[in-house]
Amino acid sequence: MTRPPLRRRWLKPLMLGAALLAAMTWLTLPASSQPQQPPSTAAPAGLLEFTADERAQIVAHGPWPPVVRPDASNRVATQATAVQWGVSLFFDARLSGNGKLACASCHQSARAFQDGLPTAVGRLNGRRNTPSLLDSAQARWLGWGGSHDSLWAASLTPLLDDGEMHQTLTSLGERLRNTPELAQGYQAAFGQALPSDDATLAVDVAKALAAYQSTLVSTRTPFDDFRDALSRGDAQAAVSYPLAAQRGLRLFIGEGRCTVCHAGPRFSNGEFADISVPFFVPGGVDSGRYSGLQQLLRSNYNRLGKFNDAGGKDPSAVGTRHVILEPRHFGEFRVPGLRHLSETAPYMHNGSLARIEDVVQHYSDLNEDRLHADGERILRPLHLSPHQAADLAAFLRSL
Ligand code: HEC
Ligand code: HEC
């Protein structure tokens, strides 16, 4: 009913041979006599042809640095004298109970203001990874569980934490009053004598620390140059961004759906999610956003409290007023920003992933069963090929 098998047997090699011959001839022909590609407005070699939609998504990850509204809850947020005192406090171990620990012991300036350890020694019984403080003035919630709603409140907690600087309001007040250099520092920064109330004094110390930390803005990256080049239509400049990073970027904004959470110039929507990083810790669980929210809502130092310098006029207080503790918060952690990633290993709230490649693998093999039933349906295992995984890692390294 079909052609004789004999004929088929010789037809195939012949066709193959002809095709091969044609290909070889084509390869050896001078470029000018090769068949011409249809004329196009296509991107030059070295630049992927991004669609208008893709371009809009890429441009939304800038500009960098962004304009940041000063924190209204901190009256010295932008005052040079407070920044100056804040720097010296940040590196001053005299702020700790035993005189041995400074903020900079864990938030090390040479390591993008983190410590390179999986979890910090002491803090929260060693459950959490020390976050970088770069760009933290742009974070709406502070800490992996969002237990703070301002940079100054997040700076007060370590001073009073038993696992950290181990002070009480009283002992910290005494330390400041009895150390002439610190007392003079306060007067220079705030232009007034030390307040008699220990809590007010401690909050002011934290506000000076916050003023300094809000100056820690990360530098521009190869991604930013690419993003700016695309947004002004400068293909010439855009081609210097490696192709692997461009392919990884396309995955990031497309198939990977990473931008759903890692959005905007900082690559974080500032909120919380469960991406199935196990949250068991010795002797229990780290409930993340759930306990973070409980802590935030009962704190005297949140934006709704009396230490907010803008009183009822703080535009950021609305977030704290309307947030509601819900069961789904259990096991959610803050979406981290992704800038300068290569300087902030290891990764995740518990420092459980050592390299960028391990994070990519996590999303590639994602364990869906471990995600909350009512949680994120955005995520699914990506099953990336080795090439795609390398591209995504190349993109993440360019941030
Ligand atoms: C023992 C190590 C250690 C010390 C000392 C320390 N921190 Fe931290 N810091 C951490 C860890 C761990 C976290 C994460 C806490 C969490 O998830 O709630 C953190 C979180 C923060 C955050 C929130 C950052 C963010 O992006 O969410 C700020 C701000 C901060 N620390 C400032 C300070 C200041 C200011 C000092 C000194 C007064 C200080 N830290 C001392 C380990 C430390
Ligand atoms: C549903 C929201 C969501 C999506 C989608 C998402 N992430 Fe994440 N990402 C998070 C959260 C939350 C964490 C922190 C989890 C933790 O510590 O337990 C995180 C952590 C990370 C980290 C570690 C950063 C650090 O400093 O520790 C990287 C890198 C990362 N994500 C990249 C990606 C990439 C690449 C994609 C797309 C393939 C992606 N994310 C998709 C929410 C998301």
Side-chain angles (χ1 to χ4, degrees), residues 40-351:
S40 85
T41 53
L47 184 62
L48 294 188
E49 216 168 311
F50 288 103
T51 64
D53 183 50
E54 283 176 322
R55 246 176 290 147
Q57 288 209 54
I58 295 165
V59 168
H61 287 294
W64 196 266
V67 179
V68 181
R69 190 172 56 188
D71 179 358
S73 72
N74 180 357
R75 69 193 184 286
V76 297
T78 57
Q79 255 176 45
T81 51
V83 172
Q84 220 175 353
W85 194 43
V87 187
S88 63
L89 289 175
F90 192 85
F91 292 90
D92 196 337
R94 287 176 298 184
L95 283 188
S96 64
N98 66 8
K100 288 186 177 148
L101 201 60
C103 308
S105 308
C106 297
H107 300 286
Q108 300 164 15
S109 52
R111 294 178 188 261
F113 294 89
Q114 47 94 55
D115 53 14
L117 300 170
T119 54
V121 178
R123 179 100 191 235
L124 299 155
N125 303 321
R127 287 175 180 183
R128 298 251 178 106
N129 177 256
T130 304
S132 163
L133 297 180
L134 293 175
D135 312 321
S136 52
Q138 294 171 51
R140 184 207 304 244
W141 309 111
L142 284 294
W144 285 101
S147 46
H148 301 96
D149 59 2
S150 74
L151 206 44
W152 58 265
S155 301
L156 179 61
T157 295
L159 291 169
L160 306 177
D161 190 293
D162 281 348
E164 281 172 272
M165 325 269 287
H166 211 303
Q167 295 275 20
T168 61
L169 290 177
T170 314
S171 68
L172 182 63
E174 277 170 7
R175 182 68 53 86
L176 283 150
R177 290 193 184 87
N178 299 335
T179 313
E181 206 186 298
L182 291 177
Q184 285 153 17
Y186 179 91
Q187 284 160 0
F190 286 86
Q192 65 183 62
L194 275 68
S196 55
D197 174 53
D198 287 330
T200 306
L201 179 55
V203 166
D204 280 349
V205 166
K207 284 178 177 166
L209 283 165
Y212 162 57
Q213 290 167 86
S214 58
T215 65
L216 305 176
V217 178
S218 67
T219 52
R220 280 175 60 87
T221 66
F223 168 79
D224 296 316
D225 292 339
F226 178 69
R227 179 261 174 211
D228 290 359
L230 270 198
S231 89
R232 61 174 192 268
D234 182 349
Q236 210 75 40
V239 291
S240 57
Y241 190 55
L243 264 173
Q246 293 180 43
R247 288 190 301 260
L249 167 59
R250 173 169 274 168
L251 257 172
F252 188 87
I253 59 174
E255 219 179 302
R257 299 204 263 184
C258 313
T259 35
V260 174
C261 300
H262 297 285
R266 254 191 98 222
F267 294 88
S268 169
N269 59 8
E271 290 299 330
F272 301 81
D274 170 21
I275 59 160
S276 100
V277 174
F279 51 92
F280 295 101
V281 289
V285 291
D286 181 345
S287 68
R289 179 57 167 157
Y290 194 82
S291 53
L293 210 41
Q294 288 177 317
Q295 242 175 293
L296 171 77
L297 295 174
R298 68 166 178 257
S299 169
N300 294 330
Y301 306 105
N302 67 28
R303 286 182 186 270
L304 306 178
K306 65 171 180 176
F307 295 105
N308 185 335
D309 293 333
K313 295 202 192 82
D314 175 9
S316 300
V318 65
T320 311
R321 188 165 298 118
H322 291 298
V323 87
I324 295 167
L325 188 67
E326 289 177 46
R328 73 177 166 90
H329 293 311
F330 209 91
E332 286 187 347
F333 291 89
R334 192 183 57 180
V335 177
L338 300 181
R339 286 182 172 268
H340 291 263
L341 258 191
S342 39
E343 295 163 46
T344 61
Y347 305 104
M348 303 300 173
H349 74 273
N350 54 7

